[in-house]
Amino acid sequence: MKYGFFDDNNKEYVITTPKTPLPWINYLGCTDFFTLISNTCGGYTFYKDAKLLRMTRYRYNDTTLDTNGKYFYIKDGDTIWNPGWQPTKTELDSYECRHGIGYSKFTGAKNDIEAALVTFVPIGDPVELTKVTLTNKGNAKKDIQLFSYVEWCLWNADDDMKNYQRNLSIGEVEVVDSTIYHKTEYRERRNHYAVYSVNAKIDAFETSRDEFRGAYNGPDKPAAVIAGKLNSTIASGWYPIASHQLNVSLNPGESKTFVFALGYVENAEDDKWEKPGVINKKKADALLAKYQTTEDFDKAFDGLCKYWNELLSKFHIASKDEHVNRMVNIWNQYQCMVTFNMSRSASYYETGIGRGMGFRDSCQDLLGFVHLIPDRARERIIDIASTQFQDGSAYHQYQPLTKKGNSDIGSGFNDDPLWLIAGTSAYIRETGDTSILEEMVPYDNDMSVATTLMEHLKRSFNYIVNHKGPHDLPLIGRADWNDCLNLNCFSEHPGESFQCFGPSEGPVAESVFIAGMFVKYGREYAALAKLMGDTAEEARVLAEVDKMIAAIEKDGWDGEWFVRAYDAYSQKIGSKECEEGQIYIEPQGMCVMAGVGVDDGNAKKALDSVKEKLDTKYGVMILQPAYTRYHLELGEITSYPPGYKENAGIFCHNNPWISIAETCIGRGDRAFEVYKKTCPSYIEDISEIHRTEPYVYSQMVAGADAKFHGEAKNSWLTGTAAWTFTNISQYILGIYPTLEGLSVNPCTPAEFGDFNVTRVYRGVTYNIEIKNPNKVQKGVASLLVDGKEIQGNIIPFDGSKDTVNVIATMR
Ligand code: BGC
Ligand code: NOJ
């Protein structure tokens, strides 16, 4: 069942009912100022950091209820309604929500009034703009009232929902004409405030939530709206809000348009005040002055669309498969930008107060983002590396505002260091910019111990070399990619965090997954060393990689698949010897991606085992059989009921690893089959089962053991976005950036047909035509570059050209 449809021409998903199975959201904002917005106008806004600079309040723990948002109420006689349905939930005569790329549009109609909202964050300004157009579609004159509504968050979102003994006394606002200024804590250490304004003369305003709603009412029945009149009160403490009242008369057929602006303003420390107690509004006024007319709004909106069209034109495919075209050209790349911006901090499943930017997460997000805005990827790499410790290990996350590492989710995740190599290698393969390797980068933000980024990568690599266990495999530390495989934790008491409790490292528990990563990213690091002329380092690294391959072959192979790990007693995990959890997805994907077993047939065996034991119609499960009880020696993974999350859920993030691994052994049919199973557009038809947004990936789909098999959770912020884009663009479609130039080596289903890709690479546009006359799954027989046949798969980079025309014919 569907709740809408894709409008590919406009790059929109059109939702046709407000009653989606879960709120279906979108993100507004591209750099610093962000809004989450659901299909019923729920959501919230923050500047840079969802925890520390939260502008508007959201209510958690009630996913489908989805309250608090930026609402508009219309009072038409006795009927009060919202164009996005929430929060009054008055039945509408018509409803439509269009989530687009960086904007959302809502159209609601009731009793001959149509209200159309367009909302977005313009490029370059910390402000969210909403254009509200009211139209009288009937034959009689209408006198209606329009009310806006936002509830301010007192900046620190964590404190905001905990510290009432203080917070209920500190709220402060100012109002001048049509602008409401939220200035809580500005009197002391803050130098920023928020504004909410409209480009028309208002009839009244409200800044006190209690006045607006009245006692015992929720936002669904606001007393002041019911009365048709705001009281223009200035809040003092309690819950400050911002609401404007506009009385609007509309003749039959007439439309009126208003532009609302919600902005963030920062003043210099010595320029905070206009006069004692009155905030300096110069910057706010200047910001608002830019968006006073519909024309200003439309121009900025065009700017946003242009910006995105240009970004999305960097990778464009035309094939006969509309799902692939749509995901690759629009939604997958868009989600990559969102995960790059948010990491795992703010979504409808991540509160914005729990997790900052993940070290591992952000490095992986780079893989899908780097072709879009390489400069921002560069900056991100430096930020991440700056939080690394001197021994090469890492804080598991850092706060976007301060850019400093924090220990909230522990440290000592021993895969972290290698992800820095992965991200940096992807950046250099994309851009050719080796200067980044010579940048001086601090450790733990301490510039006095800074070294080059190249030295950071060396320490990353050496960290693994120096932390090996009894089988010469890497020690797992707190956990590796699978945060829930906590082999040194031994937690017996509720409330202890699996991520922080216990020693950060034990001397025995080892990870075959990290071993696979070490081979893959060790080789990428060796290639960088070679590129920088350090052949001694290259040789040293490759020798270490060979040792690791030998260790995997000796103790990491179980006969039919790769072992997952060794626990603190040196017992195998993910082996046929185990009672539960006999096979895990991660080492099958990572080891084969690293090339282990490709020549001796083990890769094929491992992937066949995956198909036989882990596959379902909704995707590949993370492990089988599911753990049926809590295992002290395994940790959080066994805390989940069977079929959910890391305990045998379909963890979408590592499905592309399997798909990529399949391309490594040339099985395009199977690679694509795996790709399709979790691909949002392919499963749009089962939205009532899948339940999350049909235009983006979710972190998890419930596995075969779960009651709700096929149901997804945790949409948007997942490494799935970057890894799937990497999979489809670089491995299945086969356009892979190498240090020397673009490589063309597709691995598609036999029936996929011919296709064309436009790829902007290091400033040069490659028009690539791929022909598959014999319906093979892999292998390029001839590669014509501007009419000349070249040997091999790599098109040597030539920056003197603007355009390169390529014809690849598969064998
Ligand atoms: C989740 C993981 C997550 C970890 C750290 C666990 O509860 O299952 O997916 O990475 O917490 O936040
Ligand atoms: C979510 C985390 O963000 C990601 O880094 C991790 O690898 C997965 N959970 C698996 O546990």
Side-chain angles (χ1 to χ4, degrees), residues 588-743:
Q588 324 313 327
M590 191 50 84
C591 290
V592 178
M593 286 199 290
V596 184
V598 169
D599 294 334
D600 63 13
N602 282 354
K604 182 175 172 297
K605 268 192 206 161
L607 294 174
D608 286 345
S609 300
V610 166
K611 182 165 173 148
E612 186 196 321
K613 301 196 177 282
L614 298 179
D615 214 7
T616 77
K617 63 176 169 179
Y618 300 122
V620 185
M621 293 178 286
I622 197 169
L623 64 85
Q624 274 295 299
Y627 293 102
T628 53
R629 64 179 175 86
Y630 179 58
H631 292 250
L632 184 63
E633 76 288 4
L634 301 182
E636 181 169 1
I637 192 160
T638 60
S639 74
Y640 287 111
Y644 293 108
K645 294 276 291 178
E646 282 87 342
N647 185 14
I650 296 156
F651 222 83
C652 302
H653 186 139
N654 41 39
N655 275 241
W657 296 348
I658 295 302
S659 186
I660 294 172
E662 289 287 353
T663 69
C664 295
I665 61 166
R667 297 199 293 200
D669 281 336
R670 174 67 182 153
F672 197 68
E673 184 187 327
V674 173
Y675 170 79
K676 271 162 73 171
K677 287 186 185 200
T678 56
C679 179
S681 172
Y682 264 106
I683 52 179
E684 186 198 8
D685 284 344
I686 56 154
S687 289
E688 81 285 8
I689 298 173
H690 190 69
R691 299 186 77 217
T692 52
E693 297 89 332
Y695 38 92
V696 291
Y697 285 91
S698 295
Q699 181 208 48
M700 193 236 11
V701 171
D705 302 275
K707 178 167 179 189
F708 301 114
H709 183 33
E711 181 189 71
K713 289 200 187 92
N714 308 345
S715 54
W716 282 96
L717 303 187
T718 162
T720 315
W723 272 108
T724 312
F725 190 70
T726 302
N727 175 29
I728 185 77
S729 63
Q730 299 183 6
Y731 292 89
I732 295 180
L733 304 176
I735 319 288
Y736 180 90
T738 73
L739 293 174
E740 294 81 36
L742 272 190
S743 154

Side-chain angles (χ1 to χ4, degrees), residues 570-605:
S570 234
Q571 300 291 313
K572 283 184 187 164
I573 298 172
S575 154
K576 56 180 175 305
E577 293 164 22
C578 305
E579 179 200 337
E580 304 182 318
Q582 293 174 341
I583 173 171
Y584 278 63
I585 198 174
E586 302 99 305
Q588 324 313 327
M590 191 50 84
C591 290
V592 178
M593 286 199 290
V596 184
V598 169
D599 294 334
D600 63 13
N602 282 354
K604 182 175 172 297
K605 268 192 206 161

Side-chain angles (χ1 to χ4, degrees), residues 344 350 354-355 360-361 396-397 409 413 480-484 486 497-499 636-637 639-640 644-647 651 699 714:
R344 305 296 168 268
E350 301 281 5
R355 301 211 263 176
R360 168 207 298 145
D361 296 327
H396 200 44
Q397 65 166 31
I409 305 202
F413 293 77
D480 58 23
W481 173 88
N482 192 328
D483 288 320
C484 301
N486 316 119
S497 158
F498 288 107
Q499 266 76 44
E636 181 169 1
I637 192 160
S639 74
Y640 287 111
Y644 293 108
K645 294 276 291 178
E646 282 87 342
N647 185 14
F651 222 83
Q699 181 208 48
N714 308 345

